Structure formats: structure tokens, C-alpha cells
Amino acid sequence: MQLSNICIIVVSFIAMLLSYEVYEYAVFINFISSIACACYAYMGAQHTAFFLAWCNVQAFVFSPIVNVSEQPSVKLLVLFLLCLMFIALGIGARRN
């Protein structure tokens, strides 16, 4: 596994842990990580994409910003990114 993949995985995992209660704005890193997850899934790196998807779903579900947010645009953005990740996972799995 390349160093850049490992760095993205570590940053996404740490952002997931921080977004619970310590530093809730770390969930924005998971927004970027979900786009990286979609790219990995589309290219066929399924194991990396599944781990990033798990981190991102956990961060979005338990993040106080997303849950308390009264703006529907934030929840729509999260829903769009989750759909994007899992559609790319499906396309990448079918291609392999």
C-alpha cells in the first residue's frame, strides 16, 4: 500500500474519532474523505474504499454538527456524499 493511501486512511480515521465530541468540525475532513472514497472505489481499490466509507458513515452518523443542524442543506449534502460513495463502490465492484 502506498504512503499516500495510508496517510488518507489515518487522517480520515482520526477525523472520525475527533468529530464525535472533541472537535466536531473535523467532520469536514470526512466530507473530503468521502470524495476520496468514491475515487478509490471507482478505481477498484475496494478494501481502502470500504474502510473509508465505514469511517465516513460513522463520522456522519455521530457528528453533532450533522445531527443538530437545522439546515436541510447539510443533511442533503451528507446524503448525496453517502450515495456517491456507495454508487462508486457498486460500479467499482462490478468492474472487477
Side-chain angles (χ1 to χ4, degrees):
M1 194 178 275
Q2 295 177 348
L3 184 62
S4 62
N5 293 348
I6 294 172
C7 290
I8 290 173
I9 289 171
V10 169
V11 167
S12 178
F13 186 74
I14 290 172
M16 176 198 66
L17 293 177
L18 289 176
S19 68
Y20 290 143
E21 293 294 329
V22 177
Y23 183 67
E24 57 220 19
Y25 293 105
V27 77
F28 294 117
I29 295 172
N30 289 102
F31 286 137
I32 297 167
S33 174
S34 64
I35 296 169
C37 173
C39 292
Y40 280 128
Y42 187 75
M43 292 185 304
Q46 300 299 321
H47 297 291
T48 305
F50 275 123
F51 184 75
L52 287 176
W54 176 77
C55 288
N56 295 329
V57 168
Q58 294 296 320
F60 295 150
V61 167
F62 295 111
S63 173
I65 291 179
V66 176
N67 290 332
V68 179
S69 176
E70 297 175 2
Q71 298 175 352
S73 61
V74 173
K75 292 184 180 184
L76 286 175
L77 176 67
V78 168
L79 184 64
F80 172 73
L81 289 174
L82 290 175
C83 290
L84 179 74
M85 282 190 310
F86 289 110
I87 288 171
L89 277 167
I91 291 171
R94 184 174 180 162
R95 286 176 48 192
N96 288 339

